[in-house]
Amino acid sequence: MQRLCGLGGAALLALTGLPAQAAPGSCAALASLRIPAAAIGLPSSGAQVTSATPVVAGGTPPQTYGAHCEVSAEILPLDPGAPSIRMRLVLPEQWNRKAMMYGGGGYNGSVPNVAGNVPAGPLDRPTPLGRGYAVFASDSGHVADPASPGAFAWNEEALANYAHDALKKTRDAALYLIERHYGARPERSYFAGGSTGGREALAVVQQWPADFHGAIVLYPAYNALALDLQFGRITRALAAPGAFPSLEQRAALLEAAMQACDDLDGVRDGVISHQAACNARFDPARARLDGKPLRCPGGASTSERCLSDAQIRALRVFDTPIRFDFPLASGETHYPGFNTWGTDLGRPGSGVQLVVNRLGLNTLQPSYPMPVHGTGFEEGAPYHSGFWDEWVRYFVTRNPTFNSLTLDPQNPGPWLARISELSLRQDVNQTDLSAFADNGGKILMAHGTSDQLVSTRATAEYYERVRRDMGPGKTRRFLRYYEIPGYAHAASTVFNATWDSLSALEDWVERGIEPRRQIVADSVGVPGRTRPLCEYPGWPKYVGKGDVDSASSFVCVNSRNAMH
């Protein structure tokens, strides 16, 4: 593609056919540009562009992109001891007059790939940049330390930025640059994120309802503090003597659940689609694996193909909710259990399976000091446990040598006041989204039923709260929630979901076409197979004939067996 940066207005219009107000300006003109503090809706010291680099067209079909300007900038703090917010923005020469913001993940600390895809995005369509979007994201206000990713929380401004302030600051700085470059503001702006990014998507919808016209919300950790407390409960259970199951034992548990629950949707296809029925019927103490009891003889750990009583007790903690006997300022009273029976908590394997393992229970039992943790380590503690440990040491106690296993999440004692205070920052749980909906905003929300890190049950609870407080009719006019059987947290070797959520969102927001008959495809378990994407509480049931790998052979039914 011919480079357009630096061309005069007449020549530019001749090449692009775009109206004058959308004609891209010079990439070089953005270099060293200063963004005034007044352009940013929350207090800051303004922002500074650190680089603006022309990038040639590239990518691999069908995920190609055109020539664009890549801009890096820093949003400067008020507190001189706080880190800057690092952000990145890509400005395509063939702009579609729209903007996309990406959320982060975990404790953030790095800038997401703005040339990449939305969470669980389709592999057969261009990314937002390839579609002509101006795309931007930030590190949320700190650079992650791999050894201590939560250490940034020592600083109050950095903590506030991570909680959600950086979202508004980044958006406002990006729009200033977009308008400076194109001579116009975006006609439509969208947000896409998963996990922490899903929490961030709900944060912008709740707090700045006029800033975005639509949001793609994947596996959102919206009630993050409540989830932290559940992480602590799970971690303490797994740390008990003999309680931590090996990769092989977790593989045995998954096999036993598959044998018991796979055909509840009418066909054995390697995916548990009717997860609610599996939750109700599966009991690890009575389940069988290849005809033999899954529970080890006498309850002692005697084989890699069975579970001990200590391991079963710990897994039951994973399956059950934590309830708070103390008030949280956010109003949260509990965090639900996980769909433990049928979820891949880790098993021997390579490639994507290693990602699944690291986001699950990983390889090392929780202890003090906590073993290394996170996705960057071959061996490590459960992701839940590392997250809990960082949160206790840096968010709550601010004592880096504190033994996180000694803090009881159900009886936090002297730390209760601090935890309650943090809940106002971390739990993004407002249910009256009228301002966003009345502004024409739409939300597509989805969550895999085999998520091992954020509970699908929590997302379903949020959806039901919105329906309760706004009414089912109004909720349906702007929000859809789907559950994806077999999909784990961001990656899965059972059913790795890909979904063209952006096209569905564009149709709904821009053309008034409600999402119907959405299809989700698998890219890892059985590459190319498809399933209908069912609105909650629906699940895909096999019709009794036809290709088991085709969505056309399944119909969505709800818990009352009514088709919809």
Side-chain angles (χ1 to χ4, degrees), residues 164 225 328-331 419-428:
H164 32 66
L225 183 131
L328 286 178
S330 69
I419 289 172
S420 185
E421 176 189 0
L422 284 168
S423 74
L424 291 176
R425 292 191 185 276
Q426 293 188 258
D427 289 338
V428 180

Side-chain angles (χ1 to χ4, degrees), residues 15 22 70 89-90 113 147 284 334 355 359 410 429 437 453 468:
L15 283 173
E70 182 176 298
L89 164 69
V90 284
N113 177 16
H334 69 285
V355 178
L359 292 172
Q410 293 176 281
N429 57 359
L453 196 55
R468 176 197 66 201

Side-chain angles (χ1 to χ4, degrees), residues 4 26 31 129 151 162 179 196 310 330 412-413 462 464 493 507-508 550 559:
L4 304 184
S26 166
L129 173 61
Y162 168 74
E179 186 170 16
T196 289
S330 69
Y462 179 73
E464 293 292 2
T493 56
D507 283 343
W508 201 8
S550 173
S559 57

Side-chain angles (χ1 to χ4, degrees), residues 152-489:
F152 70 90
W154 280 92
N155 183 279
E156 281 296 328
E157 187 170 349
L159 176 57
N161 281 333
Y162 168 74
H164 32 66
D165 285 3
L167 300 169
K168 176 63 173 173
K169 296 175 184 178
T170 301
R171 179 264 180 190
D172 288 356
L175 257 66
Y176 181 91
L177 293 171
I178 289 170
E179 186 170 16
R180 184 68 174 255
H181 187 64
Y182 296 117
R185 293 168 72 85
E187 295 177 357
R188 294 284 188 272
S189 293
Y190 299 110
F191 193 107
S195 193
T196 289
R199 175 182 66 83
E200 292 169 341
L202 292 175
V204 299
V205 163
Q206 293 172 22
Q207 298 190 39
W208 303 287
D211 282 0
F212 294 90
H213 300 92
I216 297 167
V217 183
L218 271 292
Y219 35 90
Y222 72 94
N223 48 351
L225 183 131
L227 175 58
D228 282 328
L229 294 171
Q230 176 72 307
F231 282 172
R233 176 171 171 262
I234 293 168
T235 294
R236 285 159 57 94
L238 291 170
F244 189 70
S246 67
L247 287 172
E248 290 79 7
Q249 288 169 320
R250 281 174 260 161
L253 172 63
L254 180 59
E255 288 179 45
M258 284 287 183
Q259 291 176 12
C261 301
D262 185 0
D263 61 359
L264 294 176
D265 61 355
V267 66
R268 288 200 171 274
D269 58 353
V271 178
I272 296 173
S273 292
H274 196 356
Q275 185 64 54
C278 188
N279 293 342
R281 73 181 289 175
F282 188 85
D283 180 352
R286 294 178 174 82
R288 305 187 77 80
L289 174 61
D290 298 332
K292 300 177 181 179
L294 178 63
R295 177 178 179 264
C296 296
S301 185
T302 57
S303 166
E304 296 287 17
R305 297 288 288 173
C306 66
L307 297 175
S308 69
D309 286 347
Q311 292 164 342
I312 290 173
R313 281 194 297 272
L315 290 165
R316 288 195 192 283
V317 170
F318 204 91
D319 174 60
T320 54
I322 181 174
R323 302 192 184 278
F324 311 136
D325 296 327
F326 48 84
L328 286 178
S330 69
E332 292 295 326
T333 61
H334 69 285
Y335 191 89
F338 289 74
N339 295 329
T340 309
W341 323 129
T343 287
D344 185 353
L345 300 175
R347 49 184 171 160
S350 59
V352 175
Q353 185 63 49
L354 290 178
V355 178
V356 175
N357 294 353
R358 292 168 190 163
L359 292 172
L361 301 191
N362 216 331
T363 58
L364 302 178
Q365 185 173 27
S367 61
Y368 178 77
M370 190 65 65
V372 294
H373 42 268
T375 57
F377 301 97
E378 286 292 333
E379 298 281 332
Y383 196 96
H384 317 75
S385 304
F387 216 83
W388 163 255
D389 183 65
E390 296 287 323
W391 183 73
V392 168
R393 292 189 295 130
Y394 294 113
F395 284 62
V396 180
T397 68
R398 288 179 163 166
N399 176 358
T401 64
F402 191 91
N403 180 356
S404 61
L405 295 176
T406 66
L407 197 159
D408 184 346
Q410 293 176 281
N411 296 283
W415 305 113
L416 174 56
R418 173 62 176 166
I419 289 172
S420 185
E421 176 189 0
L422 284 168
S423 74
L424 291 176
R425 292 191 185 276
Q426 293 188 258
D427 289 338
V428 180
N429 57 359
Q430 297 174 28
T431 55
D432 185 355
L433 307 181
S434 296
F436 176 75
D438 293 345
N439 197 44
K442 309 294 184 186
I443 297 173
L444 292 179
M445 186 163 65
H447 203 147
T449 59
S450 296
D451 194 316
Q452 71 277 50
L453 196 55
V454 177
S455 176
T456 315
R457 300 177 195 174
T459 304
E461 282 188 3
Y462 179 73
Y463 173 70
E464 293 292 2
R465 290 184 202 174
V466 174
R467 280 172 48 90
R468 176 197 66 201
D469 294 345
M470 294 188 66
K474 186 168 184 178
T475 299
R476 186 162 180 79
R477 287 196 288 272
F478 79 98
L479 171 62
R480 294 288 191 277
Y481 172 49
Y482 308 92
E483 290 192 345
I484 309 172
Y487 188 38
H489 192 86

